[in-house]
Amino acid sequence: MANLVIASNTKAMKKLDKSVKEKEWAFLDKLAADHTAPGLHIEPLQKAVDPRIRTGRVDLHFRAILFKIDSKLGDDPTFVYMGTWPHDEANKLAERSKLRVNPINGVLEGIIGELDGDEDRKKRTVVPDPRGELNRVVTAAPTSYLGATFSLADLTERLGLDADLAERALAAPDESTLVNIAANAVEWQGSALLELATGAHIDMIREKLGFSDTPVDETLDEDEQILKALEQPASKMQFTYVEDNEELRRVIEGGDFTAWRTFLHPEQRRYVEQNFNGAFRLSGGAGTGKTVVAIHRARRLARADPTSRVVLTTYNKTLAADLKAALKTLDPGIPIADRIGDPGVFVSGIDALGHAVLNQARDIGDAAEAVLGYRTEFTHQRTNTDKVWRGVVQSVSSGLDSKLATPGFLENEYVAVILANKVTTLEQYAKVARPGRGVRLTRPQRIAVWKLVDAYRRRSRMDGSLSFPEILAIAAEQLLLRAEADKDFLTNHVLVDEAQDLHATHWALLRNLVAEGPNDLFIAEDSHQRIYGQPVVLGRLGIKIVGRARRLTLNYRTTAQNLHFAVSILSGADYKDLEQGEESTDGYRSARLGPNPKFLECDDASDELDKVADQVREWLAPPADPNEAPLDPSSIAVLTRGKTDRTQFIRALGERGIDARALDDNPSTAGFVQVLTMHRSKGMEFARVILAGIDNAHVPSAATLRSVSEGERADALLRERSLLYVAASRARDALVVTWSGKKSELLGSPSEQDGSSCPS
């Protein structure tokens, strides 16, 4: 049985239609089972520059390009599958293709040869050892973007870039040109160029890509060197061993946008595989792969110890369902725990996690008394806390200023200060610190607030209900009491995605789920995407990061043009991370190029509905190329600020002959354009996105800003800015923004809108 290594979709390979993909999968399945089967027609080529090259018969019209590496020990050979091409083209390409170990950094490189006169494959030929090119003098262009900082020797001798690629990079006059060169380079070389474009030092790039100081073991023969090179982190950007048929099918059918879930960047792989002495925080912009790292890490921890109890959680049940589906896609055999505390991976939204803890407890009386000041049992959950707070304000003469006597302020104060600190009396509340709340309270104001809190709790006690935050706070205390009674913690490892949206009682629960120690908490977050709740500081909540924090900056989802626009939305705002450090977008870059975002100013609301429908209709038109598959309507999304607007656009699209469906808690429906709120779009991605109704009344939401106190207004505006950033970064390829009336103040300057400074 042959070992099978799959290369990520090479840029030289054209997309295959579904019928050919099925045959491709069948060919590789047979190859892995018996590489000597005569029907595979595995054949060498007489004129090939690399004696390892082979082609195999996928069908009468298509052939696969492979490299065969024989084992010195007589074991089964290893086949490296590079892709499938039309018969004659495959043979010509194979003759000029080569598998080699980069002598500078030890990375394995599979290079597909060029076809004469084919510009799309220009510069894809086999390159000589770059160390032999250093005597050539290269003068960077006067306007060179990199020339003032780096030399040809820096790029070839220290990084190992192909000499030809390095020359073109040094000649690039600006960042846009350099990004374009990177987008068409071999995987690791393109990543290195993107790092150079953001000013990264060469030693930092070598560290991120996992380069070794002794790249090639000269005591090994070439085949052994190739097999060893497959272990290099940067090699795994392009190559992966396939362990079973299901994984093989997933890789073949995955397409361009899911390949990166298998072919991790070395920096991502490091955070998957590394052990940490305590809590670790991984931050990064939208589309940088934080979620993928968390999923791979959960799998790694569960596989490393079958008895291990791993919790993978996130902000809500919808995102948790996505995590669970992605985990099963990555590894269908992964043990999924049905109950928290059982071996395997327990995947849940964090509020449901609190429920699970209480449901497993026999008696929560002691925990409730510590948190609320009275014993109670969990009978039912209160869902509409706003209504209760409004009723309390109307019925209790507290004397609190009307600007503070609002459901929003009172709920936030209750969660962030009172529940977080287990305050049960006025005396405690009068003394407790309130860092980060934005509004200073005098002693009389605290007394007034406590009157309302006391009335709120009396209502809860009378009807036996608990709110979500109360459930979480009591669950956290229940876990603490369990630990103090010398019982085992419920879990061994906790991984948290979308952590920026969690509030204080969430963190209390997470901290008490697992003992402090190696690999206890893995936290994935982006403070720029905080669209719920109040800011928190982990250190004040008992979660000590102490230098164990890193940031991802390479975006895999969004094109450079769309990323530029999304980041411009954040411009000028002051963001803090979960450790109260400055949150920056410096270094964010994209691995993909595409069209500039399109901006449509509309005459009125009716005209906007027409223009949105026209744009969707244009995208759904049959492609000009008959070999190109038509666009699935479900890959198009229209995002709105609120549910009322969502309903209006669904109806308008239907009236204009376009089938559209609302996307709420349900999964997306194939064959229908998806219409959803910006909040619902969190964690999702679509090929093409329309941001609709981006005017000054909707974004930022005037109603939302009116509902908060003056002291909380700045934070509310930050959340509105973050919401638009989240929405804009859902688009993989095309992004369109529409509005009527006065455009949103968050859209930025005309140069930022029209993409004039975006790579193109």
Side-chain angles (χ1 to χ4, degrees):
M1 184 175 180
N3 300 307
L4 187 58
V5 173
I6 302 288
S8 61
N9 288 342
T10 173
K11 297 176 178 67
M13 190 175 94
K14 296 177 181 176
K15 290 184 179 179
L16 303 174
D17 63 35
K18 186 175 181 180
S19 64
V20 179
K21 278 192 174 185
E22 285 292 331
K23 295 173 182 176
E24 180 186 26
W25 180 85
F27 167 81
L28 292 171
D29 183 34
K30 293 175 184 176
L31 175 67
D34 180 9
H35 67 279
T36 64
L40 296 174
H41 293 273
I42 305 297
E43 300 169 356
L45 285 84
Q46 291 184 348
K47 299 180 181 179
V49 297
D50 190 330
R52 302 172 191 84
I53 199 71
R54 300 288 188 274
T55 64
R57 179 179 172 179
V58 174
D59 69 6
L60 286 173
H61 306 291
F62 286 87
R63 292 191 72 80
I65 294 181
L66 310 148
F67 292 99
K68 182 185 178 187
I69 301 110
D70 291 313
S71 169
K72 195 174 183 179
L73 301 176
D75 297 332
D76 290 324
T78 297
F79 284 91
V80 179
Y81 169 69
M82 297 300 297
T84 295
W85 282 265
H87 185 284
D88 293 343
E89 187 177 339
N91 286 330
K92 290 180 181 179
L93 284 170
E95 287 178 349
R96 305 178 183 201
S97 299
K98 186 173 179 64
L99 191 66
R100 70 161 200 177
V101 179
N102 189 297
I104 302 301
N105 51 44
V107 178
L108 185 64
E109 298 173 340
I111 303 171
I112 298 299
E114 68 175 312
L115 290 176
D116 294 336
D118 190 338
E119 291 299 320
D120 288 337
R121 295 179 182 82
K122 194 174 182 181
K123 309 302 182 185
R124 301 291 294 171
T125 50
V126 176
V127 296
D129 185 334
R131 291 176 295 187
E133 299 290 319
L134 297 182
N135 294 329
R136 218 154 26 92
V137 177
V138 176
T139 303
T143 57
S144 170
Y145 186 74
L146 297 177
T149 309
F150 301 103
S151 66
L152 181 65
D154 287 330
L155 303 192
T156 55
E157 188 174 46
R158 296 180 65 195
L159 278 180
L161 295 184
D162 299 340
D164 177 78
L165 180 68
E167 287 183 15
R168 288 187 287 128
L170 286 171
D174 51 40
E175 182 182 1
S176 299
T177 306
L178 186 61
V179 169
N180 197 20
I181 294 170
N184 292 285
V186 174
E187 280 76 359
W188 78 262
Q189 298 198 36
S191 180
L193 288 179
L194 289 172
E195 294 283 358
L196 290 170
T198 59
H201 190 274
I202 284 181
D203 289 340
M204 181 187 296
I205 298 173
R206 287 181 59 86
E207 180 184 353
K208 281 190 174 185
L209 292 173
F211 290 167
S212 169
D213 292 332
T214 54
V216 180
D217 186 346
E218 300 293 348
T219 65
L220 303 176
D221 64 26
E222 283 192 15
D223 282 357
E224 290 173 317
Q225 288 176 1
I226 286 172
L227 293 175
K228 186 174 179 61
L230 280 167
E231 301 171 6
Q232 288 279 357
S235 298
K236 293 176 182 178
M237 293 178 72
Q238 186 179 7
F239 304 98
T240 187
Y241 277 102
V242 176
E243 298 178 0
D244 55 46
N245 287 357
E246 284 302 316
E247 184 175 11
L248 173 61
R249 181 179 283 278
R250 289 196 305 275
V251 173
I252 294 299
E253 294 180 348
D256 294 340
F257 298 110
T258 55
W260 63 281
R261 297 177 182 270
T262 299
F263 301 92
L264 295 174
H265 186 284
E267 189 177 16
Q268 294 174 323
R269 191 174 296 279
R270 182 183 310 132
Y271 304 134
V272 169
E273 298 176 352
Q274 188 173 347
N275 291 317
F276 302 104
N277 291 326
F280 178 82
R281 181 174 66 85
L282 182 65
S283 63
T288 54
K290 304 179 296 300
T291 300
V292 172
V293 171
I295 291 168
H296 276 260
R297 186 172 176 85
R299 178 204 191 204
R300 197 268 291 181
L301 291 170
R303 288 296 188 192
D305 179 5
T307 68
S308 186
R309 299 157 301 165
V310 181
V311 167
L312 178 60
T313 188
T314 187
Y315 180 76
N316 61 31
K317 64 180 181 181
T318 305
L319 294 175
D322 292 341
L323 287 180
K324 193 171 186 178
L327 183 62
K328 288 182 174 179
T329 298
L330 176 67
D331 185 351
I334 194 75
I336 301 294
D338 294 325
R339 281 171 25 106
I340 185 171
D342 288 349
V345 184
F346 182 78
V347 188
S348 169
I350 193 162
D351 289 330
L353 202 57
H355 273 278
V357 170
L358 292 192
N359 288 336
Q360 289 184 215
R362 292 183 178 178
D363 180 9
I364 66 168
D366 290 344
E369 187 168 18
V371 172
L372 303 176
Y374 59 88
R375 300 179 70 84
T376 188
E377 293 299 321
F378 177 37
T379 57
H380 67 279
Q381 178 190 300
R382 173 183 295 162
T383 56
N384 192 343
T385 57
D386 275 13
K387 182 179 179 180
V388 179
W389 282 118
R390 277 194 294 270
V392 165
V393 169
Q394 291 169 5
S395 62
V396 176
S397 179
S398 67
L400 187 63
D401 188 312
S402 60
K403 292 181 180 178
L404 298 179
T406 64
F409 174 81
L410 292 170
E411 177 70 4
N412 288 336
E413 183 76 3
Y414 187 54
V415 173
V417 179
I418 295 170
L419 288 177
N421 293 283
K422 294 185 280 189
V423 173
T424 60
T425 67
L426 172 59
E427 289 73 20
Q428 292 172 334
Y429 181 56
K431 298 175 183 178
V432 72
R434 303 173 57 257
R437 285 293 290 125
V439 180
R440 296 189 64 180
L441 295 180
T442 64
R443 182 174 177 80
Q445 285 175 317
R446 290 202 188 202
I447 293 172
V449 169
W450 187 255
K451 286 181 181 179
L452 298 173
V453 169
D454 191 45
Y456 178 89
R457 283 184 166 173
R458 282 199 306 272
R459 291 200 177 190
S460 298
R461 193 170 184 175
M462 288 172 59
D463 62 21
S465 68
L466 294 172
S467 66
F468 271 126
E470 287 171 332
I471 292 168
L472 291 162
I474 295 171
E477 184 67 15
Q478 184 73 23
L479 292 169
L480 181 62
L481 294 175
R482 172 192 170 101
E484 289 174 348
D486 295 326
K487 292 185 178 179
D488 186 24
F489 284 84
L490 270 184
T491 63
N492 303 109
H493 312 287
V494 176
L495 300 97
V496 192
D497 193 29
E498 302 288 357
Q500 71 280 346
D501 284 319
L502 305 186
H503 56 59
T505 58
H506 287 132
W507 289 111
L509 174 71
L510 294 172
R511 178 62 284 170
N512 293 340
L513 267 174
V514 60
E516 285 191 65
N519 298 329
D520 56 348
L521 279 166
F522 183 88
I523 299 163
E525 63 97 12
D526 177 14
S527 294
H528 289 130
Q529 294 189 67
R530 182 174 64 84
I531 60 177
Y532 298 104
Q534 300 291 311
V536 300
V537 181
L538 293 180
R540 295 172 185 159
L541 301 170
I543 297 172
K544 303 163 189 173
I545 301 296
V546 240
R548 292 186 296 271
R550 296 294 184 272
R551 186 166 72 109
L552 296 173
T553 55
L554 179 58
N555 184 300
Y556 295 87
R557 176 201 302 143
T558 310
T559 63
Q561 291 81 358
N562 292 344
L563 178 64
H564 173 90
F565 166 68
V567 169
S568 75
I569 294 166
L570 305 172
S571 179
D574 182 23
Y575 285 86
K576 303 288 185 183
D577 62 30
L578 292 179
E579 296 180 271
Q580 205 59 15
E582 295 291 333
E583 186 71 280
S584 170
T585 58
D586 291 347
Y588 283 176
R589 74 272 190 224
S590 172
R592 302 178 55 241
L593 295 174
N596 286 326
K598 184 177 177 182
F599 298 87
L600 298 177
E601 182 175 8
C602 307
D603 297 334
D604 50 36
S606 177
D607 183 43
E608 185 171 9
L609 296 173
D610 288 337
K611 282 187 166 63
V612 168
D614 289 343
Q615 180 62 71
V616 171
R617 200 175 289 110
E618 179 185 322
W619 284 338
L620 292 176
D625 184 351
N627 295 319
E628 185 179 342
L631 194 67
D632 183 345
S634 66
S635 67
I636 298 174
V638 178
L639 308 187
T640 66
R641 176 60 182 83
K643 290 186 177 180
T644 301
D645 300 311
R646 181 192 67 183
T647 301
Q648 183 181 28
F649 275 95
I650 292 171
R651 184 172 61 249
L653 289 172
E655 290 170 350
R656 290 159 177 79
I658 297 169
D659 290 330
R661 288 275 177 89
L663 189 58
D664 205 345
D665 290 339
N666 54 301
S668 60
T669 307
F672 290 85
V673 173
Q674 308 300 305
V675 187
L676 58 157
T677 65
M678 294 180 183
H679 283 90
R680 175 61 179 88
S681 73
K682 191 177 188 66
M684 304 192 73
E685 60 182 64
F686 301 91
R688 309 187 183 200
V689 169
I690 298 176
L691 304 184
I694 313 301
D695 57 70
N696 229 25
H698 290 85
V699 183
S701 167
T704 298
L705 296 181
R706 282 195 304 269
S707 69
V708 299
S709 66
E710 190 61 35
E712 295 177 307
R713 183 182 173 85
D715 187 64
L717 187 56
L718 269 189
R719 292 198 302 272
E720 288 291 307
R721 193 181 292 273
S722 293
L723 182 60
L724 185 57
Y725 166 70
V726 166
S729 58
R730 300 307 96 191
R732 292 197 305 253
D733 302 320
L735 177 64
V736 174
V737 183
T738 72
W739 71 91
S740 61
K742 187 177 181 181
K743 73 172 184 179
S744 170
E745 64 189 55
L746 303 182
L747 286 181
S749 66
S751 64
E752 290 170 333
Q753 282 186 28
D754 64 19
S756 59
S757 56
C758 298
S760 57

